[in-house]
Structures are given as structure tokens and as C-alpha cells.
Amino acid sequence: MLELAVLGFLYDAPLHGYELRKRITALTGHVRPVAESTLYPAIKRLEKAGLLARTTRPGSVAAPRHVLTLTEEGRQELRRRLAEPVQRDITDENRWFTVLAFLRHLDDAAAQAAVLRRRLAFLEEPASFFYDGDRPLGAEELDDPFRRGVLIIARATSRAELGWLRETIASLGG
């Protein structure tokens, strides 16, 4: 998810590490804060793989700034990851939001629709956070108001997303 976010934000524009970290934190930070000790090794891995380049520009106040730019290989890698997200990127809500935030960089509407159809299929499967054996429990079956709340909120969120997915897939011609 972190590498996808780095590639996605750098696809939009060259950034220095601090600004990149702020943008990633704005996208995912409420759930998974991005530490420098995590971000900078990811940047180094992507740089070593030839997916991004670093240039040095004079700082406005103090030390020079390192600006990160996506290479053409980085652009291709982002589009590949968006077109072929791993299953966890489809099923994990936070990872899904990261894919969704950059899906516009996939130029092919049919490919975009294919990714959205995978998420739609996942959401249409019967599921719950709570089970009686193998049977998923619905909110109406729970006496615990907090667990019932989890399911009511999840159901409302899923309905909204299902509606948006169906509408968007149709608009993409898929």
C-alpha cells in the first residue's frame, strides 16, 4: 500500500519526501500513520528498482531538498499495480481506498471497470464480522448493541459503495 501511494502521488507531481509523507498521511494516516522509518526505506527500494529518481534542489531556507520524480518505469509499474491489484488490495478497505485514489491513472476504462468489478464481487459475497459457526450473523441477530452497531454501519457503508460501484462501472461501459 505504501509503495502504491508513493508511486501514485509522484505520478501526479514531483515531491520532496516531507510533502510526500504529508499526502500519504492525509490519505491513510488516520488508520495507518506513516513513519519516516517506513517511508524512506520504501523510497530507497523504489529508487533502487529504477521506479523513481531523486534530484537535489536548493532549499528555500536551509539545507538542499531532495525532490522525487517518477520515471517512465515507475509510471508503468503504477499502471500495472492498478490494473492487477493483489486480492488484499481489493478486500482490505484501506488498501482499496489507496487503489481507488489513483485508479484514474489507469487510462483504459475497461481496465478500470475490471478492477471495480472485482471489488463489487467481493462486496456481494455474504459476510459478517461475527459468526455462529460458519453462518454469518446479521445485526438483527445480535443482542450486543456495539456489535450490532458495527454491522449496521458496515451495511450502510457497503450499500453506498455498492451503488457507487454499479453506477461507475456502467458509466465506464462495463
Side-chain angles (χ1 to χ4, degrees), residues 137-149:
L137 294 173
E140 307 75 23
E141 300 176 85
L142 295 171
D143 294 330
D144 180 334
F146 307 107
R147 285 188 170 194
R148 187 172 45 249

Side-chain angles (χ1 to χ4, degrees), residues 96-159:
W96 169 245
F97 283 158
T98 303
V99 170
L100 202 54
F102 302 109
L103 197 56
R104 68 189 175 100
H105 295 312
L106 199 54
D107 296 333
D108 180 17
Q112 291 170 331
V115 173
L116 297 181
R117 278 194 301 276
R118 286 183 58 198
R119 176 70 175 182
L120 180 65
F122 165 71
L123 290 178
E124 288 177 332
E125 293 176 16
S128 178
F129 298 108
F130 311 108
Y131 289 81
D132 180 11
D134 289 339
R135 187 178 66 81
L137 294 173
E140 307 75 23
E141 300 176 85
L142 295 171
D143 294 330
D144 180 334
F146 307 107
R147 285 188 170 194
R148 187 172 45 249
V150 167
L151 292 181
I152 289 169
I153 293 166
R155 182 185 303 154
T157 302
S158 289
R159 283 184 183 148

Side-chain angles (χ1 to χ4, degrees), residues 66-77:
H66 299 284
V67 177
L68 304 167
T69 307
L70 211 56
T71 63
E72 183 53 39
E73 292 82 7
R75 291 179 169 293
Q76 291 173 10
E77 178 63 14

